[in-house]
Amino acid sequence: MTDSLFDQNSGGSPLAARMRPRTLDEFVGQRRAIAQGSPLHKLLQPGDTDTKSSVILWGPPGTGKTTLAQLIARAGSAKFMELSAINAGVKDVREVIATASDNKSLYGVATVLFVDEVHRFNKTQQDALLPGVENGWVTLVAATTENPSFSVIAPLMSRSLLVTLSELDDQDIVQVVTKAIVDARGLNNAVTINQEALEMLTRLAGGDARRALTVLEAAAGVALSNGVTEITADHLAAASDHNVVRYDKD
């Protein structure tokens, strides 16, 4: 029974990946950053990707940086390409920029290039991004958990909008978790979670939606393997390998 829950509609993907928002309406958190009239809100509206500025998203893990990059690409009907600064070198960057140039000149297709952890790129790697940005071959969406003023070269900073993202608040985390429990892409009502466990999961998440969903999925597995469908604090403790401290309202 446990296997069927996690195999159903998952394709082997983690819960956090399955529950990634597909539209702006599904996106949770960052109300200030995506408020009506904000630069980021404009990037997320349907339209020609060629007219959209590159953007640097600065914020903690699990706050929606990758999701926002994908939504920007969908809003402009652009091709979405992704590089991780952990394992991509200068050659990889140049190949992606060349492909984007060909897509633009040969097929008229715009490209949104998402670079995760851009602060890990050295100056030479970041310089390799500049031709694509300057010539409009790509709309660059770069994500960083470190202050870009110290980790991103000035030419990229000057050609990009800087958007600061914040940790999700408790209400956001509760919304993410409860949706994942009932959604067909998620746990599909195979489990419930009691109030104490929900509050503890919210604290464990620390404003990180990905962490919340990762622990939720593991706790669901623990509960089901024990023949119950309600997730408790003990299941969370077993799933997260933490001694979950119980707090009262004071």
Side-chain angles (χ1 to χ4, degrees):
M1 174 142 182
T2 306
D3 291 340
S4 65
L5 165 65
F6 297 109
D7 289 343
Q8 181 179 3
N9 299 325
S10 71
S13 299
L15 179 61
R18 305 199 308 270
M19 291 304 301
R20 188 179 298 281
R22 299 161 295 186
T23 66
L24 186 57
D25 288 339
E26 292 182 357
F27 189 81
V28 176
Q30 312 306 335
R31 286 173 284 276
R32 181 184 60 81
I34 64 174
Q36 184 79 28
S38 68
L40 187 54
H41 185 271
K42 293 176 182 177
L43 286 172
L44 291 163
Q45 299 311 300
D48 187 352
T49 308
D50 293 349
T51 66
K52 296 186 176 183
S53 301
S54 292
V55 60
I56 297 172
L57 302 175
W58 174 28
T63 52
K65 297 185 290 294
T66 304
T67 296
L68 287 170
Q70 293 181 350
L71 293 177
I72 290 170
R74 290 173 187 164
S77 299
K79 180 176 178 62
F80 180 81
M81 301 183 74
E82 183 173 359
L83 285 173
S84 172
I86 295 176
N87 49 35
V90 173
K91 180 181 177 182
D92 300 304
V93 174
R94 289 174 176 162
E95 286 178 351
V96 167
I97 296 298
T99 299
S101 174
D102 290 342
N103 287 337
K104 182 75 175 295
S105 60
L106 299 177
Y107 309 110
V109 176
T111 298
V112 169
L113 173 59
F114 176 64
V115 178
D116 196 15
E117 300 198 64
V118 69
H119 58 273
R120 293 179 180 266
F121 269 174
N122 59 35
K123 182 180 183 299
T124 302
Q125 291 167 309
Q126 291 187 36
D127 281 339
L129 292 168
L130 282 175
V133 175
E134 290 176 335
N135 292 294
W137 299 331
V138 299
T139 296
L140 175 67
V141 181
T144 179
T145 55
E146 298 188 6
N147 189 332
S149 298
F150 301 104
S151 56
V152 178
I153 61 174
L156 273 183
M157 288 286 291
S158 68
R159 290 165 173 79
S160 306
L161 299 171
L162 175 61
V163 177
T164 303
L165 304 182
S166 57
E167 293 180 348
L168 275 64
D169 61 29
D170 289 354
Q171 180 182 350
D172 294 332
I173 295 295
V174 169
Q175 184 178 343
V176 168
V177 169
T178 52
K179 180 176 174 59
I181 288 174
V182 302
D183 196 288
R185 291 180 296 153
L187 301 181
N188 199 25
N189 285 311
V191 294
T192 59
I193 184 168
N194 67 31
Q195 186 61 33
E196 181 190 28
L198 180 59
E199 292 173 0
M200 290 179 178
L201 178 55
T202 301
R203 288 197 296 273
L204 283 172
D208 182 332
R210 187 185 301 109
R211 183 188 303 165
L213 293 176
T214 299
V215 176
L216 172 65
E217 184 170 32
V222 172
L224 291 170
S225 68
N226 283 281
V228 296
T229 58
E230 182 182 70
I231 298 172
T232 67
D234 290 335
H235 299 137
L236 285 176
S240 62
D241 197 27
H242 282 75
N243 292 320
V244 181
V245 180
R246 289 172 168 81
Y247 297 89
D248 61 26
K249 292 184 182 297
D250 297 323

